Each structure stands twice: as C-alpha cells, then as structure tokens.
Amino acid sequence: MEIEYRDVMLNQSFDNKREAIISAGKLLQERGYVTENYIPKMIERDQMTSTFIGNMVAIPHGTEDSKAEILRSGIVLIQVPQGVSFDGNEVKLIIGIAGAEGQHLELLSEIAMVCSEIENVEKLVAAQDKDAVIQLFEGGAAA
C-alpha cells in the first residue's frame, strides 16, 4: 500500500465523529479515490455499525452499495492528537478507505497489521511530520 503526503493530515481536531468522517471522505474525494456521493455512504455505514476498531482507531468507509462511487483504491490518514469521540470511544487516528475491485479486505488487513499494536498507533498519533507517518505505516510496524 502506497501512501503519499497528500493522503496524510496531521494535527486535526473535530467536534464529533460526523465531522471526522466527512473530513476523511472529502480527503478521499480530493485525492481522486471516490466521488462526492461516497461521503454520505460513509456516514450511513458508521450509523449501521461503528467504524471504531479499537486502539484509538476508526476506519470510516462506504456501505456495500457504494462501490460504484469508488474510482480507485486508496487510504487517507488523519491524525487527531486531542481525540474525537466515536460513540464514547476516543479516536486519535482516522483511516478513511476506499477499496475498488475487491481490494477492501486487503486494505483492512494491511491497516490491521499496523494498528493492532497500540505502540504503533501511539507513534502515529505522536508523529510530527508526514514522513514519519508514512514510514511507520508503510513499514507495517513501527521502527
């Protein structure tokens, strides 16, 4: 999985999870991964089942019927050092995903490899520059 500078936003803050999900969706759209119509599907998906996965991480993504809105696979990483509540769970790392042509599970697997270790998430949240975030994430584990 390749992550570019433009896929990463540092030191963001949100009043609520809806704002956070919309921000992730807009970044996915700006990067050419999805259409604008994917964003409401991300909100709908979180209402069905929370996209909070533990270890201060949420992975907002679209519903099953939003596949037509995905232009190409990609992920965006949003660092929220002060945290935002996802139904009472503190989230400090938001990873928006769009998986085209069945790549959804592959993306989730790669994210899980990094985010299953709380130490990796803490390093991602504390990172001061995009290089550090990309290096930690693409390395599959913290250095």
Side-chain angles (χ1 to χ4, degrees):
M1 165 177 19
E2 193 170 309
I3 302 167
E4 298 178 23
Y5 282 149
R6 297 176 296 172
D7 296 327
V8 179
M9 292 175 67
L10 300 177
N11 297 313
Q12 300 300 298
S13 64
F14 304 103
D15 290 332
N16 55 59
K17 73 173 183 173
R18 182 182 174 89
E19 265 185 27
I21 292 169
I22 289 170
S23 181
K26 285 183 177 176
L27 187 55
L28 284 168
Q29 180 190 356
E30 288 168 15
R31 295 290 293 121
Y33 298 127
V34 301
T35 70
E36 184 178 4
N37 296 330
Y38 190 74
I39 300 168
K41 294 296 187 179
M42 293 173 75
I43 294 167
E44 182 183 324
R45 171 64 179 79
D46 185 75
Q47 290 170 343
M48 292 165 41
T49 307
S50 178
T51 54
F52 171 75
I53 62 160
N55 283 356
M56 302 183 295
V57 179
I59 307 179
H61 56 282
T63 57
E64 188 67 28
D65 65 349
S66 65
K67 289 184 173 146
E69 307 305 328
I70 299 172
L71 304 173
R72 63 189 179 101
S73 291
I75 72 168
V76 295
L77 300 162
I78 302 175
Q79 181 195 68
V80 188
Q82 302 308 313
V84 61
S85 175
F86 269 59
D87 306 311
N89 298 297
E90 185 178 44
V91 169
K92 293 189 174 189
L93 186 64
I94 298 164
I95 306 172
I97 67 171
E101 300 168 16
Q103 292 182 315
H104 182 83
L105 291 177
E106 181 182 325
L107 290 173
L108 286 174
S109 173
E110 292 184 40
I111 292 165
M113 281 177 25
V114 177
C115 296
S116 63
E117 299 292 330
I118 190 69
E119 296 82 13
N120 291 343
V121 176
E122 289 170 346
K123 287 180 182 180
L124 288 165
V125 171
Q128 297 296 308
D129 60 61
K130 292 182 180 187
D131 279 323
V133 170
I134 292 168
Q135 183 178 8
L136 283 165
F137 211 87
E138 287 188 346

